[in-house]
Amino acid sequence: MKNLILIFALTLLSTTGFAQNLTDKQSEKVTKYVTTFPNGEEAITITDRTSSENLELTSADSFYKYEILETSNHELVHGSDNQGKVCNIDKSKLNDGTYTLKVYTEDFVITSDITITNGMQDTSDASIQ
């Protein structure tokens, strides 16, 4: 009888832990925005996770820097050098508002307008130059 109660208790604890883990994952919101080349191929992807303080910027091609500019006057707000196809952008360095994101690859400058609102990011327009 003691063994049966012990097995039941362990099973109950395992089930409760698993259910809580699923609830935590379901509460995280992941938003992805994709900017494409004129031919329809993916150029950059910006991923915003509510549980993260960073935006993840991924490019189809390696890029050597990115810049975030004020849309109205194109003044630099934030930027960084990069090596490779992926980098993280610290959302805490940006106030709520709309910005122009420029990603510099060897062959292209990929431009996308992004809007930062309450820690959430959204893209509304994009182009390749």
Side-chain angles (χ1 to χ4, degrees), residues 35-51:
T35 301
T36 58
F37 289 112
N39 67 1
E41 292 180 13
E42 184 177 312
I44 60 172
T45 301
I46 302 166
T47 305
D48 186 8
R49 298 178 186 280
T50 56
S51 64

Side-chain angles (χ1 to χ4, degrees), residues 66-125:
Y66 72 87
E67 296 176 335
I68 298 176
L69 311 169
E70 287 285 349
T71 303
S72 59
N73 57 16
H74 296 287
E75 285 187 28
L76 182 65
V77 174
H78 180 67
S80 182
D81 292 334
N82 189 65
Q83 293 181 346
K85 296 181 178 184
V86 179
C87 78
N88 289 315
I89 301 171
D90 186 352
K91 293 186 280 189
S92 69
K93 295 185 182 211
L94 303 170
N95 293 325
D96 289 356
T98 300
Y99 300 95
T100 299
L101 170 68
K102 288 190 173 189
V103 178
Y104 295 83
T105 70
E106 187 176 308
D107 298 321
F108 301 102
V109 177
I110 304 166
T111 304
S112 179
D113 288 338
I114 60 172
T115 301
I116 306 296
T117 307
N118 297 322
M120 294 296 296
Q121 176 268 347
D122 185 19
T123 60
S124 55
D125 188 32

Side-chain angles (χ1 to χ4, degrees), residues 1-10:
M1 184 69 170
K2 287 182 181 180
N3 286 340
L4 183 61
I5 292 172
L6 181 61
I7 291 172
F8 179 73
L10 289 174

